[in-house]
Coordinates of all heavy atoms in Angstrom, one line a residue:
M1 N 0.8 -1.2 0.0 CA 0.0 0.0 0.0 C 0.9 1.2 0.0 O 1.8 1.3 0.7 CB -0.9 0.0 1.2 CG -1.8 1.2 1.3 SD -2.8 1.2 2.8 CE -3.9 -0.1 2.4
I2 N 0.5 2.2 -0.8 CA 1.3 3.5 -0.9 C 0.6 4.5 -0.1 O -0.6 4.8 -0.3 CB 1.4 3.9 -2.4 CG1 2.1 2.8 -3.2 CG2 2.1 5.2 -2.4 CD1 2.1 3.1 -4.7
L3 N 1.3 5.0 0.9 CA 0.8 6.1 1.7 C 1.6 7.4 1.6 O 2.8 7.3 1.4 CB 0.7 5.6 3.2 CG -0.2 4.5 3.6 CD1 0.1 4.0 5.0 CD2 -1.6 4.8 3.4
P4 N 0.9 8.5 1.7 CA 1.7 9.8 1.7 C 2.6 9.9 2.9 O 2.4 9.2 3.9 CB 0.6 10.9 1.7 CG -0.6 10.2 2.3 CD -0.5 8.7 2.0
K5 N 3.7 10.6 2.8 CA 4.6 10.8 3.9 C 4.0 11.5 5.1 O 4.2 11.1 6.2 CB 5.8 11.6 3.4 CG 6.7 10.9 2.4 CD 8.0 11.6 2.1 CE 8.8 11.0 1.0 NZ 9.1 9.6 1.1
V6 N 3.1 12.4 4.8 CA 2.4 13.1 5.9 C 0.9 12.7 5.8 O 0.3 13.0 4.8 CB 2.5 14.6 5.8 CG1 1.7 15.3 6.9 CG2 4.0 15.0 5.9
R7 N 0.4 11.9 6.8 CA -1.0 11.4 6.7 C -1.9 12.4 7.4 O -1.6 13.0 8.4 CB -1.0 10.1 7.3 CG -0.3 9.1 6.5 CD -0.3 7.7 7.1 NE -1.7 7.2 7.1 CZ -2.0 6.2 7.9 NH1 -1.2 5.6 8.7 NH2 -3.3 5.8 7.9
D8 N -3.1 12.5 6.9 CA -4.1 13.4 7.4 C -4.6 12.9 8.7 O -5.1 11.7 8.8 CB -5.3 13.5 6.4 CG -6.3 14.6 6.8 OD1 -6.5 14.8 8.0 OD2 -6.9 15.1 5.8
P9 N -4.5 13.6 9.8 CA -4.9 13.1 11.2 C -6.3 12.8 11.3 O -6.7 12.0 12.1 CB -4.5 14.2 12.1 CG -4.3 15.4 11.3 CD -3.9 15.0 9.9
R10 N -7.1 13.3 10.3 CA -8.6 13.0 10.4 C -8.8 11.5 10.0 O -9.9 11.0 10.3 CB -9.3 13.9 9.4 CG -9.3 15.3 9.8 CD -10.0 16.2 8.8 NE -9.2 16.1 7.5 CZ -9.6 16.6 6.4 NH1 -10.7 17.3 6.3 NH2 -8.8 16.5 5.3
F11 N -7.8 10.9 9.4 CA -8.0 9.5 9.0 C -7.1 8.5 9.8 O -6.9 7.4 9.4 CB -7.7 9.3 7.5 CG -8.6 10.1 6.6 CD1 -8.1 11.2 5.9 CD2 -10.0 9.8 6.6 CE1 -9.0 12.0 5.1 CE2 -10.8 10.6 5.8 CZ -10.3 11.7 5.1
I12 N -6.6 9.0 10.9 CA -5.8 8.2 11.8 C -6.6 8.1 13.1 O -7.1 9.1 13.7 CB -4.4 8.9 12.1 CG1 -3.7 9.0 10.8 CG2 -3.6 8.1 13.1 CD1 -2.4 9.9 10.9
T13 N -6.7 6.9 13.7 CA -7.5 6.7 14.9 C -6.8 7.4 16.1 O -5.6 7.7 16.1 CB -7.7 5.2 15.2 OG1 -6.4 4.6 15.4 CG2 -8.5 4.5 14.1
I14 N -7.7 7.8 17.0 CA -7.2 8.5 18.2 C -6.1 7.7 18.9 O -5.0 8.3 19.3 CB -8.4 8.7 19.2 CG1 -9.3 9.8 18.6 CG2 -7.9 9.1 20.6 CD1 -10.6 10.0 19.4
R15 N -6.2 6.4 19.0 CA -5.2 5.6 19.7 C -3.8 5.5 18.9 O -2.8 5.1 19.5 CB -5.7 4.2 20.0 CG -5.9 3.3 18.9 CD -6.6 2.0 19.3 NE -7.5 1.4 18.4 CZ -8.8 1.8 18.2 NH1 -9.3 2.7 19.0 NH2 -9.5 1.4 17.3
R16 N -3.8 6.0 17.7 CA -2.6 6.1 16.9 C -2.1 7.5 16.8 O -1.3 7.8 15.9 CB -2.7 5.4 15.6 CG -2.9 3.9 15.7 CD -2.8 3.3 14.3 NE -3.0 1.9 14.3 CZ -2.0 1.0 14.5 NH1 -0.8 1.4 14.6 NH2 -2.3 -0.3 14.5
G17 N -2.7 8.4 17.5 CA -2.3 9.8 17.5 C -3.1 10.7 16.6 O -2.8 11.9 16.4
G18 N -4.2 10.3 16.0 CA -5.0 11.1 15.1 C -6.2 11.6 15.8 O -6.3 11.6 17.1
V19 N -7.2 11.9 15.1 CA -8.5 12.4 15.7 C -9.7 11.6 15.3 O -10.8 11.9 15.7 CB -8.7 13.9 15.3 CG1 -7.6 14.8 15.8 CG2 -8.8 14.0 13.8
L20 N -9.5 10.5 14.6 CA -10.6 9.7 14.1 C -11.1 8.8 15.3 O -10.4 7.9 15.8 CB -10.2 8.8 13.0 CG -11.2 7.9 12.3 CD1 -12.3 8.8 11.6 CD2 -10.6 7.0 11.3
T21 N -12.4 9.0 15.6 CA -13.0 8.2 16.7 C -13.4 6.8 16.1 O -13.5 6.6 14.9 CB -14.3 8.9 17.2 OG1 -15.3 8.9 16.2 CG2 -14.0 10.2 17.8
D22 N -13.6 5.9 17.0 CA -14.0 4.5 16.6 C -15.4 4.6 15.8 O -15.5 3.9 14.8 CB -14.2 3.6 17.8 CG -12.8 3.1 18.3 OD1 -11.8 3.3 17.6 OD2 -12.8 2.6 19.4
S23 N -16.3 5.4 16.3 CA -17.6 5.4 15.6 C -17.5 6.1 14.2 O -18.1 5.6 13.3 CB -18.6 6.2 16.5 OG -18.2 7.5 16.7
D24 N -16.7 7.1 14.1 CA -16.4 7.7 12.8 C -15.7 6.7 11.9 O -15.9 6.7 10.7 CB -15.7 9.0 12.9 CG -16.6 10.1 13.4 OD1 -17.8 10.0 13.3 OD2 -16.1 11.2 13.8
H25 N -14.8 5.9 12.5 CA -14.0 4.9 11.7 C -15.0 3.9 11.1 O -14.9 3.5 10.0 CB -13.0 4.3 12.6 CG -11.9 3.6 11.9 ND1 -10.9 2.9 12.5 CD2 -11.6 3.4 10.5 CE1 -10.1 2.3 11.6 NE2 -10.5 2.6 10.4
H26 N -15.9 3.5 11.9 CA -17.0 2.5 11.5 C -17.8 3.1 10.4 O -18.1 2.5 9.4 CB -17.8 2.1 12.7 CG -17.1 1.2 13.6 ND1 -17.6 1.0 14.9 CD2 -16.0 0.5 13.6 CE1 -16.8 0.3 15.6 NE2 -15.7 -0.1 14.8
L27 N -18.2 4.4 10.5 CA -19.0 5.0 9.5 C -18.2 5.1 8.2 O -18.7 4.9 7.1 CB -19.4 6.4 9.9 CG -20.5 6.5 11.0 CD1 -20.8 7.9 11.4 CD2 -21.8 5.9 10.4
L28 N -16.9 5.5 8.3 CA -16.1 5.6 7.1 C -16.0 4.2 6.4 O -16.0 4.2 5.2 CB -14.7 6.1 7.5 CG -13.7 6.5 6.5 CD1 -14.3 7.5 5.5 CD2 -12.4 6.9 7.1
A29 N -15.8 3.2 7.2 CA -15.7 1.8 6.6 C -17.0 1.4 5.9 O -17.0 0.9 4.8 CB -15.4 0.8 7.7
L30 N -18.2 1.8 6.5 CA -19.4 1.5 5.9 C -19.7 2.3 4.6 O -20.2 1.8 3.6 CB -20.6 1.7 6.9 CG -20.7 0.7 8.1 CD1 -21.7 1.1 9.1 CD2 -20.9 -0.7 7.5
W31 N -19.2 3.5 4.7 CA -19.3 4.4 3.5 C -18.5 3.8 2.3 O -18.9 3.7 1.2 CB -18.9 5.8 3.8 CG -18.8 6.7 2.6 CD1 -19.8 7.3 1.9 CD2 -17.6 7.0 1.9 NE1 -19.3 8.0 0.9 CE2 -17.9 7.8 0.9 CE3 -16.2 6.7 2.1 CZ2 -17.0 8.4 0.0 CZ3 -15.3 7.2 1.3 CH2 -15.7 8.0 0.2
A32 N -17.3 3.4 2.7 CA -16.4 2.8 1.6 C -17.0 1.5 1.1 O -16.9 1.3 -0.1 CB -15.0 2.6 2.2
A33 N -17.5 0.7 2.0 CA -18.1 -0.6 1.5 C -19.3 -0.3 0.6 O -19.5 -1.0 -0.5 CB -18.6 -1.4 2.7
S34 N -20.1 0.7 0.9 CA -21.3 1.0 0.1 C -20.8 1.6 -1.3 O -21.4 1.2 -2.3 CB -22.1 2.1 0.8 OG -22.8 1.6 1.9
C35 N -19.8 2.4 -1.3 CA -19.3 2.9 -2.6 C -18.8 1.8 -3.4 O -19.1 1.7 -4.6 CB -18.2 3.9 -2.3 SG -18.7 5.5 -1.6
A36 N -18.0 0.9 -2.8 CA -17.5 -0.3 -3.6 C -18.6 -1.2 -4.1 O -18.6 -1.6 -5.3 CB -16.5 -1.0 -2.7
E37 N -19.6 -1.4 -3.3 CA -20.7 -2.3 -3.7 C -21.5 -1.6 -4.8 O -22.0 -2.4 -5.7 CB -21.6 -2.5 -2.5 CG -22.6 -3.6 -2.7 CD -23.4 -3.9 -1.5 OE1 -23.9 -3.0 -0.8 OE2 -23.4 -5.1 -1.2
H38 N -21.5 -0.3 -4.9 CA -22.3 0.4 -5.9 C -21.7 0.1 -7.3 O -22.5 0.1 -8.3 CB -22.2 1.9 -5.6 CG -23.0 2.7 -6.6 ND1 -24.4 2.8 -6.6 CD2 -22.6 3.5 -7.6 CE1 -24.7 3.6 -7.6 NE2 -23.7 4.1 -8.2
V39 N -20.4 -0.2 -7.4 CA -19.8 -0.5 -8.7 C -19.4 -1.9 -8.9 O -18.8 -2.3 -9.9 CB -18.7 0.5 -9.0 CG1 -19.2 1.9 -9.2 CG2 -17.6 0.4 -8.0
L40 N -19.6 -2.7 -7.9 CA -19.2 -4.1 -7.9 C -19.7 -4.9 -9.1 O -18.9 -5.7 -9.6 CB -19.6 -4.8 -6.6 CG -19.2 -6.3 -6.4 CD1 -17.6 -6.4 -6.3 CD2 -19.8 -6.8 -5.1
H41 N -20.9 -4.6 -9.5 CA -21.4 -5.4 -10.7 C -20.6 -5.1 -11.9 O -20.5 -6.0 -12.8 CB -22.9 -5.0 -10.9 CG -23.0 -3.6 -11.4 ND1 -23.0 -2.4 -10.6 CD2 -23.2 -3.1 -12.7 CE1 -23.1 -1.3 -11.3 NE2 -23.3 -1.7 -12.6
L42 N -19.9 -4.0 -12.0 CA -19.1 -3.7 -13.2 C -17.9 -4.6 -13.2 O -17.5 -5.2 -14.2 CB -18.6 -2.2 -13.2 CG -19.8 -1.2 -13.3 CD1 -19.2 0.2 -13.1 CD2 -20.5 -1.3 -14.7
F43 N -17.3 -4.8 -12.0 CA -16.1 -5.7 -11.9 C -16.5 -7.1 -12.1 O -15.9 -7.8 -12.9 CB -15.5 -5.5 -10.5 CG -14.3 -6.4 -10.3 CD1 -13.0 -6.1 -10.8 CD2 -14.5 -7.7 -9.7 CE1 -12.0 -7.0 -10.6 CE2 -13.5 -8.6 -9.5 CZ -12.2 -8.2 -9.9
E44 N -17.6 -7.5 -11.5 CA -18.0 -8.9 -11.6 C -18.5 -9.3 -13.0 O -18.4 -10.5 -13.4 CB -19.1 -9.2 -10.6 CG -18.6 -9.2 -9.2 CD -19.6 -9.5 -8.1 OE1 -20.8 -9.3 -8.3 OE2 -19.2 -10.0 -7.0
A45 N -18.9 -8.3 -13.8 CA -19.3 -8.6 -15.2 C -18.1 -9.0 -16.0 O -18.2 -9.8 -16.9 CB -20.0 -7.4 -15.8
V46 N -16.9 -8.5 -15.6 CA -15.7 -8.8 -16.4 C -15.0 -9.9 -15.7 O -14.4 -10.8 -16.4 CB -14.8 -7.5 -16.4 CG1 -13.5 -7.8 -17.1 CG2 -15.5 -6.4 -17.1
R47 N -15.0 -10.0 -14.4 CA -14.2 -11.0 -13.7 C -15.2 -11.8 -12.7 O -15.0 -11.7 -11.5 CB -13.1 -10.4 -12.9 CG -12.1 -9.7 -13.7 CD -11.1 -10.6 -14.5 NE -10.4 -11.5 -13.6 CZ -9.2 -11.3 -13.1 NH1 -8.6 -10.2 -13.3 NH2 -8.7 -12.2 -12.4
P48 N -16.2 -12.5 -13.2 CA -17.1 -13.2 -12.3 C -16.5 -14.2 -11.4 O -17.1 -14.5 -10.3 CB -18.2 -13.8 -13.3 CG -17.4 -13.9 -14.6 CD -16.4 -12.8 -14.6
E49 N -15.4 -14.7 -11.8 CA -14.7 -15.8 -10.9 C -13.9 -15.2 -9.8 O -13.4 -16.0 -9.0 CB -13.9 -16.7 -11.8 CG -12.6 -16.1 -12.3 CD -12.7 -14.9 -13.3 OE1 -13.7 -14.7 -13.9 OE2 -11.6 -14.3 -13.5
D50 N -13.7 -13.9 -9.7 CA -12.8 -13.3 -8.7 C -13.7 -12.8 -7.5 O -14.4 -11.8 -7.6 CB -12.0 -12.2 -9.3 CG -11.0 -11.7 -8.4 OD1 -11.0 -12.0 -7.2 OD2 -10.1 -10.9 -8.9
P51 N -13.6 -13.5 -6.4 CA -14.5 -13.2 -5.2 C -13.9 -12.1 -4.3 O -14.5 -11.7 -3.3 CB -14.6 -14.5 -4.5 CG -13.3 -15.2 -4.7 CD -12.9 -14.8 -6.2
R52 N -12.6 -11.7 -4.6 CA -11.9 -10.8 -3.7 C -12.6 -9.5 -3.4 O -12.7 -9.1 -2.2 CB -10.5 -10.6 -4.2 CG -9.7 -11.8 -4.2 CD -8.3 -11.6 -4.7 NE -8.4 -11.2 -6.1 CZ -7.4 -10.9 -6.9 NH1 -6.1 -10.9 -6.4 NH2 -7.5 -10.5 -8.2
P53 N -13.1 -8.7 -4.4 CA -13.8 -7.5 -4.0 C -15.0 -7.7 -3.1 O -15.2 -6.9 -2.2 CB -14.1 -6.9 -5.4 CG -13.1 -7.4 -6.3 CD -12.9 -8.8 -5.8
R54 N -15.8 -8.6 -3.5 CA -17.0 -8.9 -2.7 C -16.6 -9.3 -1.2 O -17.2 -8.9 -0.3 CB -17.9 -10.0 -3.3 CG -19.2 -10.3 -2.6 CD -20.1 -11.2 -3.3 NE -20.6 -10.6 -4.6 CZ -21.6 -9.7 -4.6 NH1 -22.3 -9.4 -3.5 NH2 -22.0 -9.3 -5.8
A55 N -15.6 -10.1 -1.1 CA -15.1 -10.6 0.2 C -14.6 -9.4 1.0 O -14.8 -9.3 2.2 CB -14.0 -11.6 0.0
A56 N -14.0 -8.4 0.3 CA -13.5 -7.3 1.1 C -14.6 -6.4 1.6 O -14.6 -5.9 2.7 CB -12.6 -6.4 0.1
I57 N -15.7 -6.3 0.8 CA -16.8 -5.5 1.2 C -17.5 -6.2 2.4 O -17.8 -5.6 3.4 CB -17.8 -5.4 0.1 CG1 -17.2 -4.5 -1.0 CG2 -19.2 -4.8 0.6 CD1 -18.0 -4.5 -2.3
E58 N -17.6 -7.5 2.3 CA -18.2 -8.3 3.4 C -17.4 -8.2 4.7 O -17.9 -8.1 5.8 CB -18.4 -9.7 3.0 CG -19.5 -9.9 1.9 CD -19.5 -11.3 1.3 OE1 -18.7 -12.2 1.7 OE2 -20.3 -11.5 0.4
N59 N -16.0 -8.2 4.5 CA -15.2 -8.2 5.7 C -15.2 -6.8 6.3 O -15.1 -6.7 7.6 CB -13.7 -8.5 5.3 CG -13.4 -10.0 5.4 OD1 -13.0 -10.4 6.5 ND2 -13.6 -10.7 4.4
A60 N -15.3 -5.7 5.5 CA -15.4 -4.4 6.1 C -16.7 -4.3 7.0 O -16.6 -3.8 8.1 CB -15.5 -3.3 5.0
R61 N -17.8 -4.8 6.5 CA -19.0 -4.7 7.3 C -18.9 -5.7 8.5 O -19.5 -5.3 9.5 CB -20.2 -5.1 6.4 CG -20.5 -4.0 5.3 CD -21.8 -4.2 4.7 NE -22.1 -3.0 3.8 CZ -22.3 -3.1 2.5 NH1 -22.4 -4.2 1.9 NH2 -22.6 -2.0 1.9
A62 N -18.3 -6.8 8.3 CA -18.1 -7.7 9.5 C -17.3 -7.1 10.5 O -17.5 -7.2 11.7 CB -17.5 -9.0 9.0
W63 N -16.3 -6.3 10.1 CA -15.4 -5.6 11.1 C -16.2 -4.6 11.9 O -16.1 -4.5 13.1 CB -14.2 -4.9 10.4 CG -13.5 -4.0 11.3 CD1 -12.6 -4.4 12.4 CD2 -13.6 -2.6 11.4 NE1 -12.2 -3.3 13.0 CE2 -12.7 -2.2 12.5 CE3 -14.2 -1.6 10.7 CZ2 -12.5 -0.8 12.8 CZ3 -14.0 -0.3 11.0 CH2 -13.2 0.1 12.0
V64 N -17.1 -3.9 11.2 CA -17.9 -2.9 11.9 C -18.9 -3.5 12.9 O -19.1 -3.0 14.0 CB -18.8 -2.0 10.9 CG1 -19.8 -1.2 11.6 CG2 -17.8 -1.2 10.0
R65 N -19.3 -4.7 12.6 CA -20.2 -5.5 13.5 C -19.4 -6.2 14.6 O -20.0 -6.8 15.5 CB -21.0 -6.5 12.7 CG -22.0 -6.0 11.8 CD -22.9 -7.0 11.2 NE -22.2 -8.1 10.5 CZ -21.9 -8.1 9.2 NH1 -22.4 -7.2 8.4 NH2 -21.3 -9.1 8.7
G66 N -18.1 -6.1 14.5 CA -17.2 -6.8 15.5 C -17.0 -8.3 15.3 O -16.6 -9.0 16.2
E67 N -17.3 -8.8 14.1 CA -17.2 -10.2 13.8 C -15.8 -10.6 13.4 O -15.5 -11.8 13.4 CB -18.3 -10.5 12.8 CG -19.7 -10.3 13.3 CD -20.7 -10.4 12.2 OE1 -20.4 -10.7 11.0 OE2 -21.9 -10.2 12.5
V68 N -15.0 -9.7 12.9 CA -13.7 -10.0 12.4 C -12.7 -8.9 13.0 O -13.2 -7.8 13.2 CB -13.5 -10.1 10.9 CG1 -14.3 -11.2 10.3 CG2 -13.8 -8.8 10.2
K69 N -11.5 -9.2 13.1 CA -10.5 -8.2 13.5 C -10.2 -7.3 12.4 O -10.3 -7.6 11.2 CB -9.2 -8.9 14.0 CG -9.5 -9.9 15.1 CD -9.0 -9.3 16.4 CE -9.1 -10.4 17.5 NZ -9.4 -9.8 18.8
M70 N -9.7 -6.1 12.8 CA -9.3 -5.1 11.8 C -8.3 -5.6 10.8 O -8.4 -5.4 9.6 CB -8.7 -3.9 12.5 CG -8.0 -2.9 11.6 SD -8.9 -2.3 10.2 CE -9.8 -1.0 10.9
M71 N -7.3 -6.4 11.2 CA -6.3 -6.9 10.3 C -6.8 -7.9 9.3 O -6.4 -7.9 8.1 CB -5.1 -7.5 11.1 CG -4.3 -6.6 11.9 SD -3.7 -5.2 11.0 CE -2.5 -6.0 9.9
A72 N -7.8 -8.6 9.6 CA -8.5 -9.5 8.7 C -9.2 -8.7 7.6 O -9.1 -9.0 6.4 CB -9.4 -10.5 9.4
A73 N -10.0 -7.7 8.0 CA -10.7 -6.9 7.1 C -9.7 -6.1 6.2 O -10.0 -6.0 5.0 CB -11.6 -5.9 7.8
R74 N -8.7 -5.6 6.8 CA -7.7 -4.9 6.0 C -7.0 -5.8 5.0 O -6.7 -5.4 3.9 CB -6.7 -4.3 7.0 CG -5.7 -3.3 6.5 CD -4.8 -2.9 7.6 NE -4.2 -1.6 7.3 CZ -3.4 -1.0 8.1 NH1 -3.2 -1.6 9.3 NH2 -2.9 0.1 7.9
A75 N -6.7 -7.0 5.4 CA -6.0 -8.0 4.5 C -6.9 -8.3 3.3 O -6.5 -8.4 2.2 CB -5.6 -9.2 5.2
A76 N -8.2 -8.5 3.6 CA -9.2 -8.7 2.5 C -9.2 -7.6 1.5 O -9.3 -7.8 0.3 CB -10.6 -9.0 3.1
G77 N -9.1 -6.3 2.0 CA -9.1 -5.2 1.2 C -7.9 -5.2 0.3 O -7.9 -4.8 -0.9
G78 N -6.7 -5.5 0.9 CA -5.5 -5.6 0.2 C -5.5 -6.6 -0.9 O -5.0 -6.4 -2.0
H79 N -6.1 -7.8 -0.6 CA -6.2 -8.8 -1.6 C -7.1 -8.4 -2.8 O -6.8 -8.7 -3.9 CB -6.7 -10.1 -1.0 CG -5.8 -10.7 -0.1 ND1 -4.5 -11.1 -0.4 CD2 -5.9 -11.1 1.2 CE1 -3.9 -11.6 0.6 NE2 -4.7 -11.6 1.6
A80 N -8.1 -7.6 -2.4 CA -9.1 -7.2 -3.5 C -8.4 -6.2 -4.4 O -8.7 -6.1 -5.6 CB -10.3 -6.5 -2.8
M81 N -7.5 -5.4 -3.9 CA -6.8 -4.5 -4.8 C -5.8 -5.2 -5.7 O -5.4 -4.6 -6.7 CB -6.0 -3.4 -3.9 CG -6.9 -2.4 -3.3 SD -6.0 -1.1 -2.4 CE -5.4 -1.9 -1.0
G82 N -5.5 -6.4 -5.4 CA -4.6 -7.2 -6.3 C -5.3 -7.5 -7.6 O -4.7 -7.7 -8.6

């Protein structure tokens, strides 16, 4: 993953020195999942055998519900970008 040298503190959780609260982090994850799901059909029309983007969306939502750890959801997102 490529990150800028100076990260915006609004996107860094409080426990890591930023200002992002857990509830806002959850909202951000749900928003990202909704955005991705909105265009998922375009990807699946071309690559119907690739489950990674759908799995990443499901993992993001599962993280918000407390069903998976952050690292599992994050890994699923990384695999989807592959």
Side-chain angles (χ1 to χ4, degrees):
M1 178 182 290
I2 300 171
L3 295 173
K5 292 189 187 307
V6 177
R7 294 180 62 200
D8 189 330
R10 295 174 298 174
F11 299 112
I12 301 171
T13 59
I14 289 172
R15 68 186 146 277
R16 294 191 179 269
V19 297
L20 185 65
T21 64
D22 286 345
S23 61
D24 284 344
H25 197 183
H26 291 161
L27 285 173
L28 188 58
L30 290 174
W31 171 78
S34 292
C35 289
E37 190 171 51
H38 183 72
V39 296
L40 182 61
H41 70 280
L42 298 171
F43 177 83
E44 290 180 335
V46 177
R47 301 286 303 268
E49 74 290 346
D50 190 345
R52 295 176 298 175
R54 183 173 293 278
I57 293 167
E58 291 168 3
N59 270 273
R61 291 193 171 124
W63 171 73
V64 171
R65 293 189 303 266
E67 297 170 1
V68 299
K69 301 259 186 210
M70 165 56 84
M71 290 308 293
R74 191 180 202 178
H79 293 301
M81 288 189 286

